[in-house]
Amino acid sequence: MRTFLIIWLGQFASLLGSELTNFAITLWAWEITGQATPLSLIMVFTQIPKLLVSPFAGIWVDRYSRKHLMLLGDLVAGLSTIALLMLFLMDHLQVWHLYISGAINGLFGYIQGLAYSASLSLIVTEKHYARATALGSVQMSGSYVLAPALAGALYAATGLTGVLSVDIVTFGMAITSLALVKIPQPSAQPAEPQTSWSALAFGLQYLWVRPSLMALLSFWIVNSLIGSTIFAILPAMVLARSNNNPLIWGTLLAFFGTGGLLGGLTISISGGPKRRIHGVLIASALWKFGIIVLALAQQTVTKIGTALVCGFCSPFPESASQAIWMSKVEPEVQGRVFATQFLLTQLSSPIGYAIAGPLADHFFEPAMQPGGILAGLFGPIFGTGLGAGMALQISIFATCGMLLAMGGYCVRQLKLIETLDH
């Protein structure tokens, strides 16, 4: 676990810096535009390059040095942040620059993440798979705890300049940690495939003859669509319903992170549920239910408590799912199979991100204004005015996500995925 922990610490620093920037960029973009669409478009541009490169990435990860690919990911992301800082200092930064930066960071971050996930099964033993993936959730949750307070203080004191500067430093820390360790390559290098499309075909064929993995994949495809429509406008909803108070959004993120940290630590200590599929389905349903409560809540204390519970549930689905994939896919083909899995899973995400902002700005928000077409029916539940339409929209999609998770127990291949051979 020593190699894993060194990498983990460096990547935690990098992730913390990235979350500082994401928080500050969200505030800056909302202040400039006052609309949900630009925030969702940043996510669209972040996702699309990942999908375009997926057929190639599996080959690169299986054939080339995974350490070098991870170093490349951190280096390019750091240079992208430097470019944003230069533009801001010259007073030339525009919202569309964030789209380009998101595309670059998404592309190289995906390559790095795929190389990292494909290396885990060689860095740690199988009994530590769930713990290792849970510590990945601890990274994210810990950054959510620390980033809002740090970003809020830095943003107030130095504006975007200070936040971006800290982010650049953290990329340097990540690169240093990777340089200090040796990351093993698979002992058997694949003779095939020779092209990106044959890599994709290999991954598709591998999954097609394994119905249990196909069932899990199908669950995540639909779940990704639902999740992207929710998270694309969640910051805008919170800011809109709190009179643009960044402290409220920062506080909720911190409690999301605190809950996620506790959940990740719980998995790390216990190893997670004995039947990992329970961690996928039950925690997914609880997480979506919490989002519904958050959209309905009027009192800040209720929002904070809900964020804490949601955060606690959040590491379980991804950690359990990743542990299932790692245990059922051979290490020498994980790069290609994981790349195919990612491509198919994330194809729906840009759709969700793309429709979420326009749906909010052009339908749900106008419909939930006083006198709007939905205000009479849903106004007593969600209220009316700024943010009410986004709250209704989020609740509808979260309800669909909750029903999807509980319906997973009706699918035999998914319910019994850990005991079935294929």
Side-chain angles (χ1 to χ4, degrees):
M1 291 285 285
R2 179 178 175 273
T3 297
F4 168 78
L5 290 174
I6 292 174
I7 298 172
W8 184 90
L9 288 171
Q11 294 305 307
F12 174 68
S14 176
L15 183 58
L16 177 59
S18 297
E19 287 304 317
L20 289 172
T21 295
N22 290 339
F23 185 86
I25 285 296
T26 298
L27 296 180
W28 184 82
W30 179 258
E31 290 172 358
I32 295 297
T33 66
Q35 292 187 322
T37 299
L39 301 185
S40 64
L41 282 177
I42 293 173
M43 297 181 182
V44 172
F45 280 93
T46 300
Q47 284 294 109
I48 289 177
K50 299 179 185 180
L51 302 179
L52 295 177
V53 81
S54 294
F56 307 92
I59 295 177
W60 298 340
V61 169
D62 282 341
R63 288 189 176 275
Y64 302 125
S65 168
R66 293 173 178 177
K67 175 177 178 176
H68 291 162
L69 291 174
M70 293 171 68
L71 284 168
L72 179 65
D74 276 327
L75 178 62
V76 174
L79 292 174
S80 173
T81 303
I82 291 173
L84 286 183
L85 178 59
M86 294 298 100
L87 286 168
F88 184 75
L89 291 175
M90 294 185 293
D91 199 26
H92 291 322
L93 184 63
Q94 303 291 327
V95 172
W96 65 268
H97 291 136
L98 304 182
Y99 303 156
I100 297 176
S101 175
I104 293 171
N105 290 341
L107 171 62
F108 286 92
Y110 166 64
I111 295 171
Q112 185 214 46
L114 182 62
Y116 174 71
S117 63
S119 299
L120 275 181
S121 59
L122 299 173
I123 296 174
V124 300
T125 58
E126 184 172 355
K127 68 178 181 179
H128 294 307
Y129 283 175
R131 289 184 172 89
T133 54
L135 282 172
S137 298
V138 170
Q139 279 183 335
M140 181 66 73
S141 302
S143 67
Y144 281 165
V145 174
L146 298 173
L150 292 175
L154 278 172
Y155 193 76
T158 66
L160 208 52
T161 304
V163 177
L164 294 176
S165 298
V166 171
D167 192 10
I168 293 168
V169 173
T170 62
F171 279 121
M173 296 172 65
I175 291 171
T176 301
S177 70
L178 287 171
L180 293 175
V181 299
K182 179 180 179 181
I183 299 176
Q185 291 288 115
S187 55
Q189 292 296 317
E192 296 182 3
Q194 298 297 321
T195 70
S196 60
W197 302 114
S198 56
L200 180 59
F202 174 87
L204 288 171
Q205 183 180 24
Y206 185 96
L207 293 171
W208 187 255
V209 297
R210 292 164 173 81
S212 59
L213 289 179
M214 283 295 295
L216 182 60
L217 176 66
S218 300
F219 168 81
W220 280 110
I221 289 173
V222 182
N223 190 69
S224 294
L225 174 64
I226 293 171
S228 61
T229 59
I230 293 172
F231 295 116
I233 61 170
L234 186 61
M237 183 203 77
V238 173
L239 289 169
R241 305 197 88 180
S242 61
N243 295 319
N244 294 339
N245 186 350
L247 179 61
I248 300 296
W249 174 236
T251 301
L252 290 182
L253 273 182
F255 276 90
F256 270 124
T258 301
L261 184 62
L262 294 174
L265 290 173
T266 299
I267 300 171
S268 299
I269 294 170
S270 68
K274 290 184 179 179
R275 287 197 60 198
R276 291 162 178 165
I277 194 62
H278 292 329
V280 176
L281 298 179
I282 294 177
S284 291
L286 290 174
W287 165 250
K288 299 301 190 303
F289 177 75
I291 292 295
I292 296 171
V293 175
L294 182 62
L296 290 168
Q298 299 293 328
Q299 300 296 322
T300 301
V301 65
T302 305
K303 295 178 182 179
I304 289 174
T306 304
L308 185 66
V309 174
C310 283
F312 182 84
C313 294
S314 63
F316 285 83
E318 184 66 33
S319 174
S321 178
Q322 186 65 15
I324 291 172
W325 282 99
M326 289 168 61
S327 64
K328 295 183 78 72
V329 179
E330 297 83 357
E332 60 269 18
V333 299
Q334 282 184 5
R336 287 169 288 167
V337 174
F338 286 2
T340 303
Q341 173 226 359
F342 178 87
L343 174 63
L344 297 176
T345 301
Q346 297 302 314
L347 273 173
S348 58
S349 292
I351 299 173
Y353 289 135
I355 67 175
L359 269 178
D361 290 333
H362 301 296
F363 178 72
F364 281 101
E365 280 293 289
M368 289 297 287
Q369 297 304 306
I373 60 174
L374 297 179
L377 181 60
F378 294 105
I381 302 173
F382 294 93
T384 58
L386 190 62
M390 287 185 280
L392 172 60
Q393 178 180 333
I394 285 172
S395 296
I396 290 172
F397 281 99
T399 300
C400 293
M402 186 171 62
L403 295 174
L404 171 71
M406 298 314 299
Y409 282 104
C410 298
V411 181
R412 179 177 178 272
Q413 289 85 357
L414 186 58
K415 182 176 66 173
L416 302 178
I417 187 171
E418 293 161 89
T419 57
L420 295 173
D421 290 337
H422 297 297

